[in-house]
Amino acid sequence: MPEYTINNIGTHVVTQGTGPPLLLVHGFPLDHTMWSGQVDHFAASHTVIAPDLRGFGQSEVTDDPVTMQTYADDLAALLDAMGITEPVHFCGLSMGGYIAWAFVEHHRDRLASLILCDTRATADNSAAQKTRELTAQRVLKEGPDFLASGLIDKLFVKQTREQQPEIIEQTKEVIRSTDPRTVAAASRAMAARPDVTTRLPAIDVPTLIIVGEHDAISPPSEMREIADAMPTATYVEIPNAGHMAPLECPEQVNAAIEQFLCR
Ligand code: MLT
Protein backbone atom coordinates (compact mmCIF):
# COMPACT_ATOMS: atom_id res chain seq x y z
CA MET A 1 0.00 0.00 0.00
CA PRO A 2 1.40 3.46 -0.92
CA GLU A 3 2.25 5.47 2.22
CA TYR A 4 3.04 8.85 0.66
CA THR A 5 1.69 10.89 -2.23
CA ILE A 6 4.78 12.21 -3.99
CA ASN A 7 4.33 14.48 -7.01
CA ASN A 8 0.76 13.08 -7.24
CA ILE A 9 1.95 9.44 -7.23
CA GLY A 10 1.07 7.06 -4.40
CA THR A 11 4.51 5.90 -3.27
CA HIS A 12 5.35 2.79 -1.27
CA VAL A 13 8.37 2.99 1.00
CA VAL A 14 9.81 0.64 3.58
CA THR A 15 11.37 2.49 6.51
CA GLN A 16 13.13 0.82 9.38
CA GLY A 17 15.53 1.77 12.19
CA THR A 18 16.82 5.05 13.54
CA GLY A 19 20.02 6.98 12.95
CA PRO A 20 21.54 8.69 9.91
CA PRO A 21 19.34 8.18 6.82
CA LEU A 22 20.38 5.51 4.30
CA LEU A 23 18.35 5.68 1.08
CA LEU A 24 18.32 2.46 -0.99
CA VAL A 25 17.34 2.98 -4.64
CA HIS A 26 16.55 -0.12 -6.66
CA GLY A 27 17.51 -1.06 -10.22
CA PHE A 28 15.44 -1.87 -13.32
CA PRO A 29 12.88 -3.46 -13.56
CA LEU A 30 12.86 -4.25 -9.85
CA ASP A 31 11.60 -2.86 -6.56
CA HIS A 32 12.69 -2.32 -2.94
CA THR A 33 12.76 -6.08 -2.24
CA MET A 34 16.16 -6.31 -3.98
CA TRP A 35 17.55 -4.75 -0.78
CA SER A 36 16.30 -7.58 1.45
CA GLY A 37 19.89 -8.32 2.51
CA GLN A 38 20.48 -4.70 3.59
CA VAL A 39 17.29 -3.37 5.22
CA ASP A 40 17.38 -5.32 8.51
CA HIS A 41 21.14 -5.18 8.72
CA PHE A 42 21.46 -1.40 8.43
CA ALA A 43 18.31 -0.66 10.48
CA ALA A 44 20.43 -1.47 13.54
CA SER A 45 22.42 1.75 12.97
CA HIS A 46 20.55 3.83 10.37
CA THR A 47 17.12 5.03 9.30
CA VAL A 48 16.80 2.81 6.25
CA ILE A 49 14.51 4.15 3.52
CA ALA A 50 13.78 1.74 0.67
CA PRO A 51 11.16 3.14 -1.73
CA ASP A 52 9.53 1.67 -4.81
CA LEU A 53 10.17 4.23 -7.56
CA ARG A 54 7.05 5.52 -9.33
CA GLY A 55 5.26 2.69 -11.14
CA PHE A 56 7.47 -0.04 -9.65
CA GLY A 57 6.61 -2.49 -6.85
CA GLN A 58 3.64 -1.22 -4.88
CA SER A 59 3.90 2.41 -6.01
CA GLU A 60 1.25 3.87 -8.27
CA VAL A 61 1.63 3.53 -12.04
CA THR A 62 1.53 6.63 -14.21
CA ASP A 63 1.37 7.10 -17.97
CA ASP A 64 3.67 10.12 -17.84
CA PRO A 65 7.09 9.96 -19.49
CA VAL A 66 10.01 10.12 -17.05
CA THR A 67 13.70 10.96 -16.95
CA MET A 68 16.37 10.08 -14.42
CA GLN A 69 15.75 13.54 -12.97
CA THR A 70 12.04 12.74 -12.48
CA TYR A 71 13.02 9.83 -10.23
CA ALA A 72 15.65 11.95 -8.42
CA ASP A 73 13.11 14.74 -7.83
CA ASP A 74 10.59 12.17 -6.54
CA LEU A 75 13.19 10.96 -4.02
CA ALA A 76 13.95 14.49 -2.83
CA ALA A 77 10.19 15.10 -2.47
CA LEU A 78 9.86 11.81 -0.57
CA LEU A 79 12.54 12.94 1.90
CA ASP A 80 10.62 16.22 2.32
CA ALA A 81 7.38 14.32 2.94
CA MET A 82 9.13 12.12 5.52
CA GLY A 83 10.57 15.20 7.26
CA ILE A 84 14.14 14.06 6.59
CA THR A 85 16.35 17.14 6.51
CA GLU A 86 19.63 15.46 7.46
CA PRO A 87 21.84 14.68 4.43
CA VAL A 88 21.36 11.09 3.28
CA HIS A 89 23.68 8.28 2.30
CA PHE A 90 22.34 7.56 -1.21
CA CYS A 91 22.88 3.94 -2.24
CA GLY A 92 21.74 3.10 -5.78
CA LEU A 93 22.14 -0.01 -7.91
CA SER A 94 22.45 0.27 -11.70
CA MET A 95 19.44 2.41 -12.71
CA GLY A 96 19.51 3.54 -9.07
CA GLY A 97 23.05 4.76 -9.84
CA TYR A 98 21.90 6.62 -12.97
CA ILE A 99 19.37 8.32 -10.69
CA ALA A 100 22.16 9.09 -8.21
CA TRP A 101 23.98 11.13 -10.89
CA ALA A 102 20.82 13.22 -11.36
CA PHE A 103 20.46 13.53 -7.57
CA VAL A 104 24.04 14.84 -7.29
CA GLU A 105 23.32 17.41 -9.98
CA HIS A 106 20.00 18.67 -8.63
CA HIS A 107 20.00 17.89 -4.90
CA ARG A 108 23.67 17.98 -3.89
CA ASP A 109 22.93 19.65 -0.54
CA ARG A 110 20.85 16.64 0.55
CA LEU A 111 23.76 14.18 0.19
CA ALA A 112 26.09 12.90 2.91
CA SER A 113 27.64 10.25 0.66
CA LEU A 114 27.12 8.12 -2.43
CA ILE A 115 27.22 4.33 -2.60
CA LEU A 116 27.12 3.31 -6.24
CA CYS A 117 26.57 -0.38 -6.90
CA ASP A 118 26.96 -1.98 -10.34
CA THR A 119 26.22 1.11 -12.41
CA ARG A 120 27.59 3.14 -15.31
CA ALA A 121 28.55 6.75 -16.01
CA THR A 122 28.37 6.57 -19.81
CA ALA A 123 25.20 7.06 -21.85
CA ASP A 124 23.70 4.39 -24.13
CA ASN A 125 25.14 4.21 -27.64
CA SER A 126 22.69 4.26 -30.53
CA ALA A 127 22.46 0.43 -30.72
CA ALA A 128 21.59 0.24 -27.01
CA GLN A 129 19.04 3.04 -27.43
CA LYS A 130 17.37 1.09 -30.26
CA THR A 131 17.25 -2.05 -28.11
CA ARG A 132 15.63 -0.06 -25.27
CA GLU A 133 12.98 1.25 -27.67
CA LEU A 134 12.28 -2.27 -28.96
CA THR A 135 11.99 -3.45 -25.35
CA ALA A 136 9.55 -0.62 -24.60
CA GLN A 137 7.38 -1.45 -27.60
CA ARG A 138 7.47 -5.22 -26.97
CA VAL A 139 6.63 -4.95 -23.27
CA LEU A 140 3.64 -2.73 -24.06
CA LYS A 141 2.39 -5.37 -26.52
CA GLU A 142 3.28 -8.60 -24.70
CA GLY A 143 3.84 -7.78 -21.04
CA PRO A 144 7.09 -8.29 -19.09
CA ASP A 145 7.40 -12.12 -19.06
CA PHE A 146 10.04 -12.14 -21.83
CA LEU A 147 12.20 -9.80 -19.76
CA ALA A 148 12.04 -12.03 -16.70
CA SER A 149 13.54 -14.96 -18.58
CA GLY A 150 15.93 -12.85 -20.70
CA LEU A 151 17.47 -10.80 -17.92
CA ILE A 152 18.25 -13.40 -15.27
CA ASP A 153 21.51 -14.63 -16.86
CA LYS A 154 22.75 -11.05 -17.14
CA LEU A 155 21.79 -10.08 -13.59
CA PHE A 156 23.18 -13.08 -11.68
CA VAL A 157 26.33 -15.20 -11.87
CA LYS A 158 26.01 -18.94 -12.52
CA GLN A 159 26.91 -19.72 -8.91
CA THR A 160 23.96 -17.65 -7.64
CA ARG A 161 21.62 -19.20 -10.21
CA GLU A 162 22.62 -22.67 -9.06
CA GLN A 163 22.94 -22.14 -5.33
CA GLN A 164 20.32 -19.48 -4.50
CA PRO A 165 17.25 -20.42 -6.60
CA GLU A 166 14.96 -18.54 -4.19
CA ILE A 167 16.39 -15.12 -5.07
CA ILE A 168 16.18 -15.97 -8.77
CA GLU A 169 12.48 -16.85 -8.40
CA GLN A 170 11.86 -13.75 -6.27
CA THR A 171 13.49 -11.53 -8.92
CA LYS A 172 11.60 -13.16 -11.80
CA GLU A 173 8.36 -12.65 -9.93
CA VAL A 174 9.11 -8.95 -9.36
CA ILE A 175 9.91 -8.46 -13.07
CA ARG A 176 6.78 -10.36 -14.17
CA SER A 177 4.62 -8.19 -11.92
CA THR A 178 5.99 -4.85 -13.07
CA ASP A 179 3.48 -2.83 -15.08
CA PRO A 180 4.42 -2.66 -18.81
CA ARG A 181 3.95 1.13 -18.85
CA THR A 182 6.52 1.46 -16.06
CA VAL A 183 9.02 -0.78 -17.88
CA ALA A 184 8.54 1.14 -21.14
CA ALA A 185 8.88 4.56 -19.49
CA ALA A 186 12.02 3.54 -17.58
CA SER A 187 13.58 1.95 -20.69
CA ARG A 188 13.08 5.16 -22.64
CA ALA A 189 14.38 7.23 -19.71
CA MET A 190 17.55 5.13 -19.48
CA ALA A 191 18.06 5.45 -23.26
CA ALA A 192 17.90 9.24 -22.90
CA ARG A 193 20.16 9.52 -19.85
CA PRO A 194 23.22 11.75 -20.22
CA ASP A 195 26.86 10.73 -20.19
CA VAL A 196 28.25 12.00 -16.88
CA THR A 197 31.88 10.96 -17.26
CA THR A 198 33.17 14.52 -17.62
CA ARG A 199 31.36 15.51 -14.41
CA LEU A 200 32.97 12.81 -12.25
CA PRO A 201 36.13 14.72 -11.20
CA ALA A 202 34.01 17.57 -9.77
CA ILE A 203 31.82 15.37 -7.55
CA ASP A 204 32.85 16.25 -4.02
CA VAL A 205 30.72 13.73 -2.07
CA PRO A 206 32.48 10.79 -0.36
CA THR A 207 31.71 7.84 -2.63
CA LEU A 208 31.90 4.07 -2.43
CA ILE A 209 31.96 2.17 -5.71
CA ILE A 210 30.87 -1.48 -5.41
CA VAL A 211 30.87 -3.97 -8.26
CA GLY A 212 30.36 -7.69 -8.59
CA GLU A 213 33.49 -9.43 -9.92
CA HIS A 214 31.50 -10.91 -12.83
CA ASP A 215 29.05 -8.08 -13.48
CA ALA A 216 28.06 -8.49 -17.15
CA ILE A 217 26.20 -5.17 -17.44
CA SER A 218 28.52 -2.73 -15.64
CA PRO A 219 31.83 -4.64 -15.54
CA PRO A 220 34.61 -4.00 -13.00
CA SER A 221 36.84 -2.39 -15.67
CA GLU A 222 34.20 0.28 -16.25
CA MET A 223 33.48 0.85 -12.57
CA ARG A 224 37.18 1.08 -11.84
CA GLU A 225 37.34 3.93 -14.40
CA ILE A 226 34.51 5.72 -12.56
CA ALA A 227 36.38 5.36 -9.26
CA ASP A 228 39.64 6.55 -10.82
CA ALA A 229 37.91 9.67 -12.18
CA MET A 230 36.37 10.58 -8.80
CA PRO A 231 38.86 12.00 -6.28
CA THR A 232 36.44 11.11 -3.46
CA ALA A 233 35.87 7.46 -4.43
CA THR A 234 36.83 4.14 -2.86
CA TYR A 235 36.53 1.02 -5.02
CA VAL A 236 35.46 -2.43 -3.81
CA GLU A 237 35.01 -5.56 -5.93
CA ILE A 238 32.81 -8.37 -4.60
CA PRO A 239 34.12 -11.85 -5.46
CA ASN A 240 31.69 -14.40 -6.96
CA ALA A 241 28.98 -11.79 -7.56
CA GLY A 242 27.35 -10.45 -10.71
CA HIS A 243 25.25 -7.35 -11.41
CA MET A 244 23.04 -7.95 -8.36
CA ALA A 245 25.91 -8.02 -5.85
CA PRO A 246 23.85 -6.73 -2.85
CA LEU A 247 21.32 -9.53 -3.32
CA GLU A 248 23.84 -12.23 -4.29
CA CYS A 249 26.47 -11.57 -1.63
CA PRO A 250 24.84 -9.41 1.06
CA GLU A 251 27.44 -10.12 3.76
CA GLN A 252 30.39 -8.90 1.67
CA VAL A 253 28.45 -5.90 0.35
CA ASN A 254 27.23 -4.97 3.84
CA ALA A 255 30.78 -5.21 5.21
CA ALA A 256 32.03 -2.85 2.48
CA ILE A 257 29.22 -0.36 3.11
CA GLU A 258 29.71 -0.56 6.87
CA GLN A 259 33.42 0.12 6.60
CA PHE A 260 32.69 3.09 4.33
CA LEU A 261 29.98 4.52 6.59
CA CYS A 262 32.16 4.17 9.70
CA ARG A 263 35.26 5.69 8.08
C1 MLT B 1 19.51 -2.18 -13.88
O1 MLT B 1 19.88 -3.16 -13.22
O2 MLT B 1 18.97 -1.20 -13.35
C2 MLT B 1 19.68 -2.23 -15.39
O3 MLT B 1 20.52 -3.28 -15.72
C3 MLT B 1 20.20 -0.93 -15.92
C4 MLT B 1 20.34 -0.93 -17.42
O4 MLT B 1 19.60 -1.66 -18.09
O5 MLT B 1 21.17 -0.15 -17.94
Side-chain angles (χ1 to χ4, degrees):
M1 282 291 288
E3 286 88 15
Y4 292 92
T5 300
I6 304 301
N7 296 330
N8 297 321
I9 311 288
T11 300
H12 176 66
V13 56
V14 166
T15 45
Q16 210 172 301
T18 51
L22 173 64
L23 179 63
L24 302 175
V25 183
H26 63 79
F28 165 90
L30 306 172
D31 68 9
H32 75 276
T33 57
M34 63 145 286
W35 300 110
S36 56
Q38 283 70 47
V39 173
D40 284 351
H41 181 89
F42 285 102
S45 51
H46 288 75
T47 304
V48 178
I49 305 157
D52 288 338
L53 295 165
R54 60 166 66 200
F56 291 92
Q58 295 167 56
S59 290
E60 196 181 333
V61 177
T62 152
D63 285 323
D64 297 341
V66 291
T67 63
M68 291 302 124
Q69 191 188 336
T70 312
Y71 295 126
D73 291 346
D74 283 350
L75 291 170
L78 174 65
L79 296 174
D80 286 341
M82 295 177 73
I84 298 205
T85 51
E86 190 180 337
V88 299
H89 301 287
F90 186 120
C91 175
L93 179 129
S94 201
M95 184 177 79
Y98 309 156
I99 297 167
W101 304 130
F103 201 90
V104 175
E105 189 177 354
H106 298 282
H107 305 284
R108 163 67 188 88
D109 56 331
R110 304 202 75 141
L111 277 173
S113 76
L114 283 174
I115 301 161
L116 301 171
C117 308
D118 303 277
T119 193
R120 314 182 72 183
T122 51
D124 281 2
N125 61 26
S126 60
Q129 286 174 330
K130 275 185 199 140
T131 305
R132 301 263 199 215
E133 182 53 32
L134 291 176
T135 299
Q137 290 177 16
R138 187 171 170 195
V139 79
L140 289 170
K141 244 189 239 153
E142 288 177 26
D145 283 9
F146 74 94
L147 269 184
S149 40
L151 271 178
I152 290 297
D153 287 3
K154 289 192 192 144
L155 296 179
F156 298 97
V157 283
K158 190 158 173 267
Q159 187 173 318
T160 308
R161 299 198 303 271
E162 287 175 357
Q163 294 177 8
Q164 301 191 75
E166 64 294 344
I167 67 172
I168 303 299
E169 271 321 300
Q170 172 200 319
T171 304
K172 278 188 180 166
E173 194 41 48
V174 169
I175 298 174
R176 284 193 208 108
S177 345
T178 305
D179 192 285
R181 290 168 293 173
T182 298
V183 176
S187 294
R188 289 171 172 147
M190 288 191 290
R193 76 186 191 279
D195 184 322
V196 298
T197 46
T198 57
R199 290 193 226 145
L200 298 177
I203 294 178
D204 60 353
V205 195
T207 300
L208 175 64
I209 304 280
I210 297 181
V211 62
E213 179 189 13
H214 303 295
D215 187 334
I217 297 174
S218 38
S221 56
E222 206 175 313
M223 291 214 73
R224 169 73 78 179
E225 280 177 24
I226 297 176
D228 287 347
M230 294 178 77
T232 53
T234 307
Y235 174 87
V236 175
E237 206 168 295
I238 306 295
N240 304 317
H243 189 62
M244 296 301 296
L247 191 54
E248 297 180 273
C249 297
E251 283 172 19
Q252 293 90 324
V253 168
N254 292 352
I257 295 177
E258 216 151 64
Q259 197 177 352
F260 171 73
L261 292 175
C262 298
R263 73 201 175 281

